[in-house]
Amino acid sequence: MLGCSKSPIGSLAHPHPPQLIEDSDMDNNPSILSHVSIGTNDFERAIAFYDAVLPTLGCKRFMEHPGAIAYGKQYPEFWVGTSFDGQPATVGNGTHIGFIAPTKEAVHAFYEAALAAGGKDDGAPGGRPDYSEPYYGCFVRDPDGHKIEAAFWDEQLEQQLNQNNG
């Protein structure tokens, strides 16, 4: 099974052959997505931002190609790169990328790192009653204007709520 496609979703295309990942590893991947790609008009600034922010959630640089870098924990799931077609990268209206945070503290660390690295607040850490009580997260805009989120889902609270309602 392939760990990344030769022409990933979005405007990035990688000149190198895809990396093979053992089938058993991919069978254990809980994600429904192969990866997500976003474009940038300032590659160095974008990489500096994500190098500062994503480690707060346990992510690291996973793969590198000229003009593109992938981040992940076990797989190259989140790509940042220059546009393949040479046109300016743009931000999708109504689009955001949500990252899983292991704790509420990680949500705060993500938010603080993002603001310190040049991101802009788009929703401070906290609960969102309209999302459900177990949700706790934050929203920021990266330096290119992409909306990103760190979200923690309190499974213990969800179980308590289910027991109380059940």
Side-chain angles (χ1 to χ4, degrees), residues 17-97:
Q19 176 184 356
L20 295 176
I21 295 178
E22 296 293 321
D23 283 338
S24 61
D25 289 343
M26 290 303 291
D27 289 342
N28 293 323
N29 182 354
S31 180
I32 64 167
L33 300 174
S34 167
H35 60 274
V36 174
S37 301
I38 61 170
T40 180
N41 294 309
D42 187 337
F43 185 69
E44 295 304 321
R45 179 184 68 183
I47 296 311
F49 176 82
Y50 285 104
D51 280 350
V53 173
L54 292 179
T56 65
L57 304 177
C59 300
K60 63 183 180 190
R61 281 191 188 194
F62 206 90
M63 296 179 88
E64 297 185 30
H65 295 289
I69 293 182
Y71 295 89
K73 290 183 178 180
Q74 295 181 319
Y75 310 101
E77 298 175 86
F78 178 68
W79 287 87
V80 178
T82 56
S83 62
F84 181 71
D85 65 5
Q87 299 298 313
T90 60
V91 177
N93 184 24
T95 302
H96 82 272
I97 298 170

